[in-house]
Each structure stands twice: as structure tokens, then as C-alpha cells.
Amino acid sequence: MATLNLVQSITLTLQQAMQADERVILLGEDVGLNGGVFRVTDGLQAQFGEDRVVDTPLAESGIIGTAIGLAINGMRPIPEIQYEGFLGPAYDQIVNHAARYRNRTRGAIPVPLTIRVPVGGGIHAPELHSDSPETIYTHSPGIKVVYPTTPSDAKGLLTAAIRDPDPVIFFEPKKVYRSFREEVSEDDYEIEIGKAKVVNEGSDLTIVTWGASLFECLGAMDNAPDDADIELIDLRTIYPLDIDTIAESVEKTGRCIVVHEAPLTGGMGAEISARIQERCFLHLEAPVQRVTGFDTIMPFYKLENEYLVDAKRIGSAIAETLAY
Amino acid sequence: MPKTTAYQATIEHISILDEHANFDAELGEGVMTDEQALHLYEHMVNCRELDEVAFKLQRSGRMGTYPQNKGQEAAAVGVALALEKGKDWIVPSYRENAALFMHGLPMHYILMYWMGDERGSKMPEGVNVTPLSVPIGTHMLHATGIAWAEKLRKSDGVAATFFGDGATSEGDFHEAMNFASTLKVGVVFIGQNNGWAISVPRSKQMNSETLCQKALAYGMPTVRVDGNDIYAVHYAAKEAVKRARAGEGPTFIECVTYRLGDHTTADDARRYRDEAEVEAWRNRDPILRVRKYLTAKGSWDDARDEALKAKAKKIVAEVVDAAINVTPPETTDFFDDMYQSLPEDLRKQRETMRTSSLGQNPDQVGLKADTAAVEGR
Ligand SMILES: Cc1ncc(C[n+]2csc(CCOP(=O)(O)OP(=O)(O)O)c2C)c(N)n1
Ligand SMILES: [Mg+2]
């Protein structure tokens, strides 16, 4: 066991994956000597050499497009995109190529590829460094979308993603990168992609969330009335969606709030609440609520806390849903 | 048949005022007056002072991440002088603040931008400058489009766009170059080759020894200049602007330069750059050589220099005050310019932004009116 923050846990996972499998290579902007702008790949080029930890030219389409080629031809590439805001130039490669190869070739050419991307707001970053685009890729069939929050979940999920035979986007909430440490096993372990985690068991209300918002939910739960027994679910994987865990919980509690940083319209909250009403309609005691970002551009950092969901907004949602 | 040469090209390099302040009288003849040189000098000094103060603001927690321009001021001012304010356009990245100031952007707007305030990008009337471009290598297409519109309207405005060496690896850069060249529109592409894209040196970024070679691929006139020499930059920019105005199409100028600071305040360049390399470039500072040259020539002196620097300090202090004391944005500020008129649904989100979704629909059957009481329980 080691006590690690999210960055350290991901570094360790990458290191172990590279040790275990020669096909694994890292590529991206500044991932080599500089160790990535968040230092997630720090020390790995020194350990594994410039052929396996590659500073690429500044071109996201190039990074993902060549990673697809590498994957097709037997490698296990792990490209890093520096911030979620720079996925744009790679969109075509991800959605029109990585996501489609297997299906287009009826299984003949799979693309085992793990795209690592720091995501989300809350670190006072400049323009286009704080977005939450997970739904864009969730709505693009053929890709798995993983979004862990804790260091130990990240390790198991990243290991599973690297070994997954299909393309995975692995979002890393940058606000959580260095926010806390926990015990992480140095042993080899996987956490199944597509399985949510019940963080806290409860019987009155279910909260479903992921990423940095998890801590806002915990804050809101601390402030909730003592007799409110709240079940908190960390989704961990956005696609495939673990609707079973959610439905089981909502059948028990009858009330549900979905919390996410991304905008409201067309966000995962919409999908989850639709699924809940399909699966649990007769169990529902209150409408499913969404506490989310707004349908606006993520503001610059002076106002980012006005945009980001916080414990207070979640707290009112808890009160209203319980009172309904 | 014997093999023949299918294509051959040479790329010119221009240097007029070198790092030792030697001036090439022949090439430099008539490039700019001493008065103009002093004007550029003043802008460079102001910009440098802003950079130094901005660094301290970041370090003391009063500003977010900031990319210093330090060392690259000559390209900005040398190009800006060749453009007509209010008529031509500047489509920048983030390392040419001085050009934007010369074209009317108030200096405190740049600080506001990096202090996390969108109003720093609200260009005042008559300032033909697009906002700083964070997505690297993507904005040059807009310059091509802007110049295209000039051509369609049969006017002769020019669009100048700045970007780094790393930016020339992005696909959009190549599309911008190809469009501009085939449409024959008046764009001046200014590649600021500072040798590094964060930690990635030019040699890993591209196998081309010069950025100019990329212009050759698009059949575009190109020239490489000492980017720390205001005379060389201006010489090339004047020619490029003339060509653009005459309807003869785009030009690519490579300015060879160096960033004396870290990539941004979030970076530590010591991780990947040799101190000896930085030191060598400190001696090639674009500001020092202008001062030296004009002083030797008798057009400038130490007393005036001191006065200018004192003035720069005063200007920047006022700029910092203006940026820090700007009225905070309304908490709903980020809704208001999403569209010209806010869709009804978004207007409602704006009004109820501090409430949950049920709170947005208070007349819903089943919602107890006294949730406030529950909340306070
Ligand atoms: C599309 C995109 N990818 C990555 C980044 C992150 N990033 C910011 S600046 C930079 C390097 C830019 O290098 P260069 O174009 O040479 O300009 P310089 O900073 O040296 O002036 C990178 C990779 C970004 N802002 N946008
Ligand atoms: Mg550069």
C-alpha cells in the first residue's frame, strides 16, 4: 500500500502498465522530459526511454490519429491531450475513426487505445482549460468514457482501460489531482469499466455524481438534516452506464438527484433521469432533480464558482427532494 | 531522359540591427525614422514593464496564469507599425501584446483577461483585434477569412496573424496558409519562432530547419528575419503589407526570437532549457540594441531613457490599478452574451441560478412551499 494523490496514482499505474506490457507507449505534448503539464508522466521518459514516452508535435489530430494507427498495428498507445479544451482538433479522429473502426470492419480491426484527458474546472485556469465535455463522447457510440474521482479507483480503472480492447477516453478531474491522498494498492488490480460505486449507503435519497462534484455532494450531505439518510453513488464510468446500480438504489430510496459540472441540456443528468423513470417509475416519490452547470460557456475563473455546482445548490436540492 | 530540377527555392534572411547594435546602412536605409524607432522602443519598454509586473501579480496571488512576452516584443511592434490602425486587423495568439496596445487595446484589458475576466476581450469600438487565442494554431484561419472579406468588398485592408513555431504543427495552420494562398487574399502570417513550444524544442517539433519552408509548400512568398530586430521585422512587414494591399496575396514572415521567461507562470523552463542558452539570448534582447544604437547615434540619451522607464512604471502602475479595481462582473455576467437575445429557457436558468431544478418550477404539484424550513432543519 502507498498513500497517493490522484496524479501519483495515475503515474504509478502508467509505470506498472509499461513495465508489464512492452506494447504500451505514451505520447502527447510535453509528456517526456517535462512530465506533462500536470506532471502525470513525470520520470517515465527517464525510465522507459524516448521511444516509449514520446513528445509529439503540437497537433491533437496527429496525436490521436497516429495513436489509432499504433493501436491497429499491435501497440497499446496511451495518448495524453493536455486539457479537455484541446480535444477539438482531435474530434474527427476520435469520433469518426477510433470509435468506428471495429464496427466498420465487423470486428476485424479493433482500436485498443486509452486517451487520457485532464477535465473540469475549479483550478483558476485560463480560458478553455475548465470544460466538461464528457457527454459529447458519451453520445458518440463506439467509445467508452471513464471518469474516476479517487486515486484508488483511478488505478483500477486505468488498468482496465489500458487492457480494454476498445477505445476509452479516460477523464481525470484536475481539481482532484492533488486535493487529497488515500491508500492505493501497489498490486495489479482492475476495476470493471461500467460499474458505479456506492460511496455511502442510505435509504431516503440517492445522489448520483462523478468527478470533483463528488466532494460538493459530500459537503452538502454533511450539512443535510441528521435524519436524512442519503445514498451517494460515484458513477466512475459514464459509458457504459451502470443503470442497474442506480435503479437498485432509487427503487430503495424513491428519490434521486443527479449532480454534474457539465451543462444541463443534453447532459448525462438527462439520460440518467430518463432511465430512472423508465425503470423505477412506480417507486418514485419525487421528480428526479438535476443540479448541473448552466447552458453557458464555462466562465473565466472570476466567476467559475458561480458556474460550478456547489454544496449549497445541492443542499437545496436535497431539502426540496426530501420534502416533496 | 536525364533528371531535371523540378523546383528550387532559396529563403532570404534579413538582419539590419544586430545584437551588437551594428546597423546595416544599406538594407536599413529608409526602413523607419528615428522617431518611429523611438516610438516602438517606448512600446517595447512599456510592454516589458507590464510583463514584469504581471509576473509579480501572479506570484502574489492577484492574477492567474500569465504568459510573459519578454524577449519577443520586436516582432509585435515591427509588424504593428506597418499596419493601419482601425483599418487593418490583428489576429493574435498571446505573445504580441505590444502590437495590440499599438492598435488601441487598453493595456489593462490584457491583465483583466488573465485575471479571469471576459471583459478583457471586449474590444473597444474601432479596435480591429480579435481576442487572444488559447487553442493553439487555430485562429490563423480567421485572419484568412477576414482578408477574404476585404477582397470580396474590394477594399484593401490587411489581416496580420501571429502564432508560434509549435502552432505550425496544427492542421488548421496549413489550411489557413493554403486558403490564403489559393484565394490570394491579403494575410500577413507572422510565425514567432522562439525555438520552443513549452518544453518541446524546434528540432522535435518539426524536421524543417525554418518555418519559411512551410510557406514554400503553399507557393507563398516568405522571408526569415531576426525577430529581435525591429528594423528587420518592419522591413519585411512593410513589404508584406504592401503586397497584400496591392491584391498580390499573402506573405509568411518567420521571426527568429526567444522567450526569455517561462512558457507561462505555471511553467518552470529550467526543467528543459539550458541556462547558457537563455543567457545567450539575454544578450540579444530586442530592447537593449535599439537603445544602444540610438544612443550611439545621438538620437537618444541616458537621461531620456531614465525618464521613459519612470514613465513606463507609472503607466503600468495605473494599468494594474485599473485592472484590479474594475467593478467585479455581475454574477450572471456569463449568461448575458451567450446570444444576442437570451432564449427563454436560458433566461430562466439565469434567474434561478442559485436554486435547484425543482426550485425553478415552484408551482409544481407536490412541491411543498416550506422547503426553506426543511432546508434549515
Ligand atoms: C490546441 C491546443 N493544444 C495545446 C495547447 C496547450 N499549449 C498552450 S501553449 C503551447 C505551446 C505553444 O507553442 P508555440 O506555438 O511555439 O508558441 P509559444 O508559446 O512558444 O509562443 C501548448 C502546447 C493549447 N493551448 N491549444
Ligand atoms: Mg514557440
Side-chain angles (χ1 to χ4, degrees), chain B residues 155-192:
Chain B
S155 62
D156 64 354
V158 173
T161 182
F162 291 85
F163 47 89
D165 43 301
T168 68
S169 293
E170 288 281 3
D172 281 6
F173 161 75
H174 296 270
E175 298 177 25
M177 296 280 283
N178 191 36
F179 269 63
S181 189
T182 53
L183 292 163
K184 215 173 176 190
V185 298
V187 188
V188 182
F189 292 92
I190 304 111
Q192 290 220 54

Side-chain angles (χ1 to χ4, degrees), chain A residues 30 34 39 42 57-58 60 127-128 289-290 295-297 299-303 306 310 320 323-324, chain B residues 64 113 115-118 135 170 198-199 205 271 330 334 338 346 349 353-354 356-359 365 368:
Chain A
D30 306 286
N34 206 29
R39 309 283 182 253
D42 202 13
L58 205 176
E60 290 73 15
E127 187 173 16
L128 271 166
Q289 278 212 76
R290 290 175 289 165
D295 293 342
T296 67
I297 309 288
F300 286 13
Y301 73 77
K302 263 193 188 175
L303 293 181
E306 300 295 332
D310 58 13
E320 286 165 0
Y324 196 91
Chain B
Y113 178 87
M115 284 176 174
D117 191 328
E118 279 87 348
E170 288 281 3
I198 310 186
S199 71
Q205 189 65 241
R271 287 174 70 91
E330 296 285 332
F334 57 92
M338 284 303 303
L346 194 52
Q349 284 185 30
M353 65 183 285
R354 298 322 312 167
S356 62
S357 58
L358 283 182
V365 181
K368 301 206 173 70

Side-chain angles (χ1 to χ4, degrees), chain B residues 2-55:
Chain B
K3 291 178 183 170
T4 57
T5 304
Y7 185 80
Q8 214 173 9
T10 49
I11 294 164
E12 282 184 341
H13 180 276
I14 299 176
S15 157
I16 295 174
L17 178 65
D18 75 11
E19 59 183 290
H20 308 295
N22 299 315
F23 190 84
D24 184 322
E26 204 180 312
L27 259 187
E29 170 70 31
V31 172
M32 69 178 96
T33 62
D34 287 357
E35 207 179 10
Q36 285 174 314
L38 281 168
H39 178 61
L40 300 193
Y41 178 68
E42 182 171 356
H43 271 287
M44 291 198 291
V45 166
N46 289 346
C47 189
R48 180 70 62 90
E49 175 67 17
L50 183 76
D51 251 10
E52 301 296 11
V53 171
F55 184 84

